[in-house]
Amino acid sequence: MSHPLLDLPPLTAGHFASIERKVAALLRTGNDVVITQGEALLPLEGCIRSGARPGGAALNVVTGPYGQTFGDWLRDAGAEVVDLEVPFHAAAGAEDVARALAAHPEIDFVSLVHAEAATGNTNPVAEIGEVVRAHGALFMVDAVASVAAEPLEVDAWGVDLCVIGAQKAMGGPAGVSAVSVSERAWRRFAENPAAPRRSYLSLLDWKQRWIDTGRRALPHAPAQLEMLALEACLERIEESGLDAVLARHRAAAAATRAGATALGAPLEPFVHRDRDAAPVASTLRTLDGVAADDLVARALAIDPALPLVAGGGALAKEMVRVNHYGLDASLDVVLRTVRALGTALDVTDPTAALAAAEAAWTA
Ligand SMILES: *Cc1c(COP(=O)(O)O)cnc(C)c1O
């Protein structure tokens, strides 16, 4: 008996290369794209272990938990690490990065998370990229939570290494990711004797065996399901139009923040300024001793399909995350979220909050 998920023919080299080109188009880059079969942490770790080295120095901008992970890898790779810690309710500023680089001229690698789904903030990559380029460091951006949620211009912003995953705003599957690699980054990797080789983490292996041989023969059999799903979500974005997809995410964030504020309940946007709030997901802070994890459980009991989760670790008591990405970047999901949170917080009449959310969506 045949089955739609089984008995698939192997993916051809040409087909695989065409998916890479679609990713490159989405990222607005002429750089090489490597599709990695594994979660986004795979290329992120590969980039750091290839680009950072003993004797080197790195600036790690920390605006959430992923930045903390990068710092561990950078130290592990032997680099001197300067952590630029930014409060989770705000964003990094280009002037902070400029100051850190001026204080540490030896820095040759900068890692930055574009948007943090876990904390709900987004950082001005274009402005920071300008500062990093002027300094001359290699620039790595984790765009897992920003791709397809907000503008991402890899070449215009001078991003040497841009990592994405399909499972957030792209609306694709978890477990497949990609990275774009600039010429400069390839040179740095090649000059780094500590860069992984003959390893699942090795981007250089991919370059040698796939890119440098003209993308004619695949070094291994790609995971068909993941690749076909990645292709499908890229095509769906193309069909809707990227601008429309970005606009949906922007509207969902604005509407969630406006609706939560207008509930008049012990709840406020976690990220203070609208411009620092990530379009991919909105975080809300509970007040007056309301436990965020209890609130999430009560709201999910009312509407189990909502994309609600409490903050991770220490944030579980004070942060509600609304993961309005992919198909959940819709007015319906936002309104149901505001309604369920209102009911769970004993708001008797959510009419004004729903109207505020709808108005923000339309604006
Ligand atoms: C979700 C996310 C990741 C992790 O992606 P995985 O594919 O689960 O490894 C990394 N960085 C950011 C900013 C994310 O939002």
Side-chain angles (χ1 to χ4, degrees):
M1 229 189 333
S2 85
H3 184 285
L5 302 182
L6 304 176
D7 315 304
L8 296 170
L11 209 71
T12 63
H15 193 172
F16 187 77
S18 77
I19 303 173
E20 287 180 338
R21 286 196 297 276
K22 284 195 170 79
V23 172
L26 180 66
L27 301 187
R28 308 251 194 262
T29 185
N31 291 338
D32 288 326
V33 164
V34 177
I35 296 177
T36 36
Q37 46 190 67
E39 62 170 310
L41 290 180
L42 169 69
L44 286 165
E45 184 176 352
C47 285
I48 287 180
R49 293 194 189 277
S50 303
R53 59 196 163 184
L59 174 67
N60 182 40
V61 184
V62 182
T63 54
Y66 290 107
Q68 290 166 346
T69 301
F70 300 168
D72 294 337
W73 286 333
L74 287 164
R75 282 183 189 85
D76 229 34
E80 280 296 323
V81 183
V82 177
D83 282 312
L84 175 59
E85 309 239 10
V86 180
F88 290 176
H89 64 258
E95 60 294 342
D96 304 322
V97 173
R99 212 172 301 121
L101 291 174
H104 300 276
E106 70 280 12
I107 286 171
D108 57 14
F109 188 96
V110 175
S111 51
L112 172 74
V113 177
H114 186 180
E116 292 261 10
T119 44
N121 50 18
T122 185
N123 297 296
V125 178
E127 292 159 39
I128 293 173
E130 218 168 289
V131 170
V132 174
R133 202 157 54 247
H135 182 85
L138 214 60
F139 189 29
M140 181 188 95
V141 172
D142 173 350
V144 176
S146 58
V147 65
E150 57 189 298
L152 180 58
E153 298 279 346
V154 166
D155 288 356
W157 297 349
V159 179
D160 292 293
L161 296 161
C162 183
V163 172
I164 64 163
Q167 76 273 33
K168 304 257 166 77
M170 290 176 72
V176 61
S177 48
V179 54
S180 68
V181 185
S182 71
E183 271 310 315
R184 235 158 62 94
W186 282 130
R187 277 201 302 278
R188 170 78 69 88
F189 292 0
E191 290 162 4
N192 179 7
R197 298 305 307 260
R198 296 164 296 281
S199 158
Y200 205 60
L201 285 174
S202 178
L203 293 163
L204 283 170
D205 286 1
W206 264 101
K207 177 169 168 55
Q208 186 181 13
R209 298 174 63 192
W210 168 244
I211 297 172
D212 291 349
T213 56
R215 295 184 171 86
R216 273 190 289 271
L218 283 159
H220 67 87
Q224 297 110 311
L225 290 174
E226 279 71 18
M227 298 310 148
L228 295 175
L230 173 61
E231 181 178 47
C233 78
L234 288 159
E235 286 174 354
R236 191 167 64 179
I237 291 168
E238 222 170 89
E239 278 157 23
S240 315
L242 179 60
D243 287 344
V245 177
L246 302 184
R248 262 197 303 116
H249 285 87
R250 198 165 52 236
T256 302
R257 288 167 65 81
T261 304
L263 274 174
L267 199 62
E268 65 180 18
F270 196 94
V271 176
H272 295 182
R273 300 191 303 182
D274 288 340
R275 53 175 286 197
D276 298 337
V280 72
S282 297
T283 47
L284 305 170
R285 184 193 291 279
T286 52
L287 307 169
D288 302 344
V290 173
D293 47 4
D294 292 343
L295 173 60
V296 165
R298 292 202 300 278
L300 288 176
I302 295 162
D303 193 340
L306 292 177
L308 289 178
V309 58
L315 294 170
K317 293 292 168 200
E318 54 181 309
M319 181 190 281
V320 174
R321 290 168 54 187
V322 188
N323 289 329
H324 45 58
Y325 49 69
L327 289 187
D328 283 338
S330 74
L331 180 58
D332 173 60
V333 165
V334 172
L335 293 179
R336 279 164 45 208
T337 297
V338 171
R339 192 188 299 274
L341 289 171
T343 305
L345 288 166
D346 299 321
V347 172
T348 41
D349 184 6
T351 313
L354 295 171
E358 195 153 356
W361 178 281
T362 311

Coordinates of all heavy atoms in Angstrom, one line a residue, residues 38-44 66-67 70 113-118 142-146 163-168 173-177 280 321 325, ligand 1:
G38 N 18.6 19.3 10.3 CA 18.7 19.4 11.8 C 18.2 20.7 12.2 O 18.0 21.6 11.4
E39 N 17.9 20.8 13.5 CA 17.4 22.1 14.0 C 18.4 23.2 13.8 O 19.6 22.9 13.6 CB 17.0 21.9 15.5 CG 18.2 21.6 16.4 CD 17.8 21.7 17.8 OE1 17.2 22.7 18.2 OE2 18.0 20.7 18.6
A40 N 18.0 24.4 14.0 CA 18.8 25.6 13.7 C 20.0 25.7 14.6 O 21.1 26.3 14.2 CB 18.0 26.9 13.8
L41 N 20.0 25.0 15.7 CA 21.2 25.0 16.6 C 22.4 24.4 15.9 O 23.5 24.7 16.2 CB 20.9 24.3 17.9 CG 19.9 25.1 18.8 CD1 19.7 24.4 20.1 CD2 20.4 26.5 19.1
L42 N 22.1 23.5 14.9 CA 23.2 22.8 14.2 C 24.0 23.8 13.4 O 25.2 23.9 13.6 CB 22.6 21.7 13.3 CG 23.5 21.1 12.3 CD1 24.6 20.3 13.0 CD2 22.8 20.2 11.3
P43 N 23.4 24.6 12.4 CA 24.3 25.6 11.7 C 24.8 26.7 12.7 O 25.9 27.2 12.4 CB 23.4 26.1 10.6 CG 22.0 25.8 11.1 CD 22.1 24.5 11.9
L44 N 24.0 27.0 13.7 CA 24.5 28.1 14.6 C 25.8 27.6 15.3 O 26.8 28.3 15.4 CB 23.4 28.4 15.7 CG 22.3 29.2 15.1 CD1 21.1 29.2 16.1 CD2 22.7 30.7 14.9
Y66 N 19.1 32.5 23.6 CA 19.9 32.0 22.6 C 21.3 32.7 22.6 O 22.3 32.1 22.4 CB 19.3 32.1 21.2 CG 18.1 31.1 21.1 CD1 16.8 31.5 21.1 CD2 18.4 29.8 21.0 CE1 15.8 30.6 21.0 CE2 17.4 28.9 20.9 CZ 16.0 29.3 20.9 OH 15.0 28.4 20.9
G67 N 21.3 34.0 22.9 CA 22.6 34.7 23.0 C 23.4 34.1 24.1 O 24.6 34.0 24.0
F70 N 25.1 31.1 22.7 CA 26.2 31.4 21.8 C 27.5 31.7 22.6 O 28.6 31.3 22.2 CB 25.9 32.6 20.9 CG 24.7 32.4 20.0 CD1 24.1 33.5 19.4 CD2 24.1 31.1 19.9 CE1 23.0 33.3 18.6 CE2 23.0 30.9 19.1 CZ 22.5 32.0 18.4
V113 N 21.4 37.8 17.9 CA 20.1 37.2 17.5 C 19.2 38.4 17.0 O 19.0 39.4 17.7 CB 19.4 36.6 18.8 CG1 18.0 36.0 18.4 CG2 20.3 35.5 19.3
H114 N 18.6 38.2 15.8 CA 17.8 39.2 15.2 C 16.5 39.4 16.1 O 16.4 40.4 16.8 CB 17.4 38.9 13.8 CG 16.7 39.9 13.0 ND1 16.3 39.8 11.7 CD2 16.3 41.2 13.4 CE1 15.7 40.9 11.3 NE2 15.7 41.8 12.3
A115 N 15.7 38.4 16.1 CA 14.5 38.5 17.0 C 14.5 37.3 17.9 O 15.0 36.2 17.5 CB 13.2 38.5 16.1
E116 N 14.1 37.5 19.1 CA 14.0 36.4 20.1 C 12.6 36.0 20.3 O 11.8 36.8 21.0 CB 14.7 36.9 21.4 CG 16.1 37.2 21.4 CD 17.0 36.0 21.9 OE1 16.4 34.9 22.2 OE2 18.2 36.2 22.1
A117 N 12.2 34.9 19.9 CA 10.8 34.4 20.2 C 10.7 34.2 21.7 O 9.6 34.4 22.2 CB 10.5 33.1 19.4
A118 N 11.7 33.9 22.4 CA 11.6 33.6 23.8 C 11.5 34.8 24.7 O 11.0 34.7 25.8 CB 12.9 32.8 24.2
D142 N 21.4 35.3 14.0 CA 20.4 34.2 14.2 C 19.1 34.8 13.8 O 18.5 35.6 14.5 CB 20.4 33.8 15.6 CG 19.3 32.8 15.9 OD1 18.4 32.6 15.1 OD2 19.3 32.2 17.0
A143 N 18.6 34.5 12.6 CA 17.4 35.0 12.1 C 16.2 34.0 12.1 O 15.2 34.1 11.4 CB 17.6 35.5 10.6
V144 N 16.3 33.0 13.0 CA 15.3 31.9 13.0 C 13.9 32.5 13.3 O 12.9 32.1 12.7 CB 15.7 30.9 14.1 CG1 14.6 29.8 14.2 CG2 17.0 30.2 13.8
A145 N 13.9 33.5 14.2 CA 12.6 34.0 14.6 C 12.2 35.3 13.8 O 11.2 35.9 14.1 CB 12.6 34.3 16.1
S146 N 13.1 35.8 12.9 CA 12.8 37.0 12.2 C 12.4 36.7 10.7 O 11.6 37.4 10.1 CB 13.9 38.0 12.2 OG 15.1 37.4 11.7
V163 N 21.5 32.5 9.8 CA 20.9 31.2 10.1 C 19.4 31.4 10.2 O 18.9 32.3 10.9 CB 21.5 30.6 11.4 CG1 20.8 29.4 11.8 CG2 23.0 30.3 11.2
I164 N 18.7 30.5 9.5 CA 17.3 30.5 9.6 C 16.8 29.0 10.0 O 17.5 28.1 9.8 CB 16.6 30.9 8.4 CG1 16.8 30.0 7.2 CG2 17.0 32.4 8.0 CD1 15.9 30.1 6.0
G165 N 15.6 29.0 10.5 CA 14.9 27.7 10.7 C 13.5 27.9 10.0 O 13.0 29.0 9.9
A166 N 12.9 26.8 9.7 CA 11.6 26.9 8.9 C 10.4 26.9 9.9 O 9.3 27.3 9.4 CB 11.5 25.7 8.0
Q167 N 10.6 26.7 11.1 CA 9.4 26.4 12.0 C 8.7 27.5 12.7 O 7.8 27.3 13.4 CB 9.8 25.3 13.1 CG 10.6 25.9 14.2 CD 12.1 25.9 14.0 OE1 12.5 26.1 12.9 NE2 12.9 25.7 15.0
K168 N 9.2 28.8 12.4 CA 8.6 29.9 13.1 C 7.7 30.6 12.1 O 6.7 30.1 11.6 CB 9.6 30.8 13.7 CG 10.5 30.0 14.7 CD 10.2 30.3 16.2 CE 10.9 29.3 17.2 NZ 12.3 29.6 17.4
P173 N 8.3 23.0 8.8 CA 8.6 22.0 9.8 C 9.7 22.4 10.7 O 10.6 23.1 10.3 CB 8.9 20.8 9.0 CG 9.6 21.4 7.8 CD 8.9 22.7 7.5
A174 N 9.8 21.8 11.9 CA 11.0 21.9 12.7 C 11.9 20.9 12.2 O 11.5 19.9 11.5 CB 10.6 21.6 14.2
G175 N 13.2 21.1 12.5 CA 14.2 20.1 12.1 C 14.9 20.3 10.8 O 15.6 19.4 10.3
V176 N 14.6 21.4 10.1 CA 15.4 21.8 8.9 C 15.8 23.3 9.0 O 15.0 24.1 9.5 CB 14.6 21.5 7.6 CG1 13.3 22.2 7.5 CG2 15.5 21.7 6.4
S177 N 17.0 23.6 8.6 CA 17.5 24.9 8.8 C 18.4 25.2 7.7 O 18.7 24.4 6.8 CB 18.2 25.0 10.2 OG 19.1 23.9 10.3
V280 N 7.3 38.4 15.3 CA 7.1 36.9 15.3 C 6.3 36.4 16.5 O 5.5 35.5 16.4 CB 8.4 36.2 15.3 CG1 9.2 36.2 16.6 CG2 8.2 34.7 14.9
R321 N 3.9 34.1 26.6 CA 4.4 34.2 25.2 C 3.2 33.9 24.3 O 2.6 32.8 24.5 CB 5.5 33.3 24.9 CG 6.8 33.7 25.6 CD 7.8 32.5 25.5 NE 8.0 32.1 24.1 CZ 8.8 31.1 23.7 NH1 9.4 30.3 24.7 NH2 8.9 30.7 22.5
Y325 N 2.8 33.0 15.1 CA 3.6 33.0 13.9 C 3.1 31.9 13.0 O 2.3 31.1 13.4 CB 5.1 32.8 14.2 CG 5.5 31.7 15.1 CD1 5.4 30.4 14.8 CD2 6.1 32.1 16.3 CE1 5.9 29.4 15.7 CE2 6.6 31.1 17.2 CZ 6.4 29.8 16.9 OH 6.9 28.8 17.7
Ligands
LIG1 C1 13.4 29.0 17.8 C2 14.7 29.6 17.8 C3 15.9 28.9 17.7 C4 16.0 27.4 17.8 O1 15.6 26.8 16.6 P1 15.7 25.2 16.6 O2 15.5 24.9 15.2 O3 14.7 24.7 17.5 O4 17.1 24.8 17.0 C5 17.1 29.6 17.6 N1 17.2 30.9 17.7 C6 16.0 31.6 17.8 C7 16.1 33.1 17.8 C8 14.8 31.0 17.8 O5 13.7 31.7 18.0

